[in-house]
Amino acid sequence: MEITQNFDSGNIEIINCNSPKEIEIEIKEDSNSHFYQWFYFRLSGVKDTECKIYIRNAQGVAYPKGFQGYRVCCSYDKSNWFRHETELIGDSLAIVIKPVRDIIYFAYFVPYTLEQHYALIASSLRSEFCRHEVLGKTIEDRDIELVRFSSNPEKKGRKVFWIIARQHPGESMSEWWMEGLIEQLVDGPKTFVKQLLKECDIYLVPNMNPDGSYRGNLRTNAAGRNLNREWENPSLDKSPEVYFVKRKMRETGVDFFLDVHGDESLPYCFIAGTEGIAGWNKQKQAQLDFFKGRLAQLNPDFQTEVGYPAKRPGLANMTMSATQMAATHNCLAMTLEMPFKDTIDTPDEEFGWSPIRSKQLAHSCLLVMAEYLSGFC
Ligand code: ZN
């Protein structure tokens, strides 16, 4: 019996792997940080053997509620993933399973590895409207990558839409969402895409945190920085990912901004606005209400009742991407959250929240973006 985690996005530490009856492991802390919750590992040599796996440090994670009523993601082949019950026993998260093959993978959510990211970037370039740009390098010398969809970038008066994902690398559903969006832009209905790109350029950063993704971090980059607290004053040394993206945004301008995340605890899809910025007004509220309202109409998994409480004007945390974009570029800027577990109103008993549902949500978002473009820009 072996446990392996030394691969792209892997994370686990072995405490005791002598008997399948009591496999003891711990989740490693993010690089230079005390956050942890993302795990991804392979167990082998256990076909038809009942295994009891205990994640011993499950109650010290960043979001302990995330493991209440949680079902772990499992796969025998890394492409088909299913959910399996877990139980919280004291400080441990227990997984009891009898694998039907010699190899089984476990992960906090269906992984989106850096290799998948590179394949996604390459696939986006099948579109005649897509161009690729390296904005800079991460601390570990990886490319910070931008793809731009535009049919006529030279034309004056075009609107500029920016979407970023995976500032928090453990929130892999956000890059599944990006894959869904890119699929629509590359292979979606031609007249729809053409019409959309006639009026606007879409800038995408599908993975803001490649170092953290590769390292199997939950929230931070290689320097231990939470990138979504670096937007007020990004540092070239400690948060180059934000530094280079923000610099490009200054160059292009921003008319619409969306930052895509996953939430460990809340079993809902929701959008957080930027009501806490100083210049919040009725017009901005109407823009936000339109986007959220239309998305809820188009996609049953999205709702507007539950989310983070809105801050009062002037109380915003200005270190976050959405508040910075809203204040700097005076545009609609939002944070989209998807669950790790499932939506409580539209549950999927078999798969929970999943890559396919993340992608469907992206399709709906693109439709609402097109309506927002014609109605508000
Ligand atoms: Zn997040």
Side-chain angles (χ1 to χ4, degrees):
M1 183 174 67
E2 295 287 341
I3 291 177
T4 315
Q5 59 88 46
N6 192 10
F7 46 70
D8 189 344
S9 300
N11 178 332
I12 211 69
E13 196 164 302
I14 303 163
I15 308 294
N16 169 16
C17 180
N18 298 322
S19 158
K21 289 192 176 63
E22 192 176 11
I23 299 167
E24 298 180 281
I25 53 179
E26 283 190 352
I27 304 170
K28 290 191 281 191
E29 290 181 342
D30 286 8
S31 328
N32 297 300
S33 159
H34 295 304
F35 288 122
Y36 67 88
Q37 193 147 3
W38 171 262
F39 60 88
Y40 179 25
F41 61 93
R42 189 178 96 164
L43 176 63
S44 60
V46 288
K47 186 179 180 185
D48 297 331
T49 309
E50 186 176 76
C51 299
K52 292 184 179 168
I53 305 165
Y54 298 93
I55 299 179
R56 290 296 189 201
N57 60 348
Q59 280 306 286
V61 295
Y63 302 93
K65 280 187 180 163
F67 285 154
Q68 290 174 6
Y70 168 70
R71 292 184 296 155
V72 64
C73 295
C74 312
S75 176
Y76 291 112
D77 59 8
K78 299 215 293 174
S79 63
N80 297 296
W81 289 82
F82 56 94
R83 294 273 184 163
H84 188 81
E85 297 300 324
T86 71
E87 190 186 351
L88 272 174
I89 304 171
D91 290 337
S92 301
L93 184 77
I95 305 164
V96 180
I97 192 165
K98 197 173 180 180
V100 299
R101 291 191 199 167
D102 269 332
I103 282 176
I104 182 166
Y105 287 84
F106 298 91
Y108 185 27
F109 191 79
V110 179
Y112 206 100
T113 62
L114 209 48
E115 274 309 309
Q116 286 170 279
H117 163 77
Y118 295 134
L120 174 64
I121 293 285
S123 80
S124 62
L125 295 169
R126 290 190 292 115
S127 162
E128 59 177 312
F129 302 124
C130 186
R131 296 297 302 269
H132 173 255
E133 188 178 337
V134 174
L135 299 177
K137 293 283 187 184
T138 67
I139 292 163
E140 298 188 314
D141 204 32
R142 294 191 173 91
D143 291 342
I144 300 161
E145 299 185 277
L146 170 76
V147 290
R148 183 198 69 196
F149 287 86
S150 175
S151 62
N152 188 2
E154 308 305 326
K155 192 180 146 200
K156 288 238 165 7
R158 301 175 57 73
K159 299 298 173 186
V160 175
F161 283 31
W162 270 86
I163 308 177
I164 66 172
R166 232 170 161 194
Q167 293 201 75
H168 298 143
E171 295 161 9
S172 53
M173 62 289 283
S174 65
E175 199 158 5
W176 285 111
W177 185 100
M178 271 289 182
E179 185 176 299
L181 193 85
I182 287 171
E183 278 175 6
Q184 281 299 292
L185 289 169
V186 175
D187 294 318
K190 284 211 164 47
T191 43
F192 167 74
V193 173
K194 256 195 168 147
Q195 186 60 34
L196 180 65
L197 297 179
K198 226 164 114 182
E199 308 295 335
C200 83
D201 296 344
I202 299 178
Y203 289 79
L204 305 176
V205 181
N207 189 336
M208 282 289 295
N209 197 338
D211 290 352
S213 303
Y214 187 81
R215 282 167 165 259
N217 287 354
L218 175 76
R219 272 178 93 71
T220 76
N221 70 355
R225 293 297 173 99
N226 173 353
L227 295 183
N228 204 23
R229 300 294 182 274
E230 293 286 314
W231 285 78
E232 197 160 29
N233 216 347
S235 132
L236 196 49
D237 294 336
K238 302 288 187 189
S239 48
E241 301 89 347
V242 176
Y243 179 91
F244 288 116
V245 170
K246 200 177 167 191
R247 188 176 74 177
K248 184 71 183 181
M249 288 166 150
R250 268 200 303 273
E251 182 190 313
T252 65
V254 183
D255 297 299
F256 171 94
F257 175 78
L258 187 63
D259 180 17
V260 187
H261 287 254
D263 185 284
E264 290 79 358
S265 308
L266 291 175
Y268 299 95
C269 289
F270 60 95
I271 276 177
T274 60
E275 293 91 335
I277 63 167
W280 191 255
N281 58 31
K282 279 188 178 151
Q283 185 201 358
K284 291 179 192 302
Q285 186 69 52
Q287 294 170 349
L288 177 63
D289 289 344
F290 170 80
F291 199 94
K292 286 163 55 173
R294 278 299 285 151
L295 191 53
Q297 283 172 352
L298 290 179
N299 192 303
D301 286 331
F302 184 82
Q303 54 80 52
T304 58
E305 303 293 313
V306 184
Y308 304 142
K311 292 228 165 76
R312 289 208 308 280
L315 296 181
N317 180 347
M318 297 307 293
T319 65
M320 297 169 76
S321 63
T323 49
Q324 269 297 317
M325 290 305 106
T328 309
H329 296 283
N330 193 29
C331 65
L332 176 62
M334 301 173 290
T335 309
L336 175 67
E337 298 280 354
M338 290 170 276
F340 271 81
K341 291 185 271 194
D342 201 352
T343 49
I344 204 158
D345 300 324
T346 52
D348 182 321
E349 295 302 331
E350 198 174 355
F351 298 108
W353 191 251
S354 61
I356 183 75
R357 293 169 77 192
S358 308
K359 289 164 78 164
Q360 281 162 354
L361 186 61
H363 297 179
S364 305
C365 285
L366 190 64
L367 293 173
V368 182
M369 282 164 57
E371 290 182 19
Y372 183 81
L373 175 70
S374 55
F376 289 86
C377 285

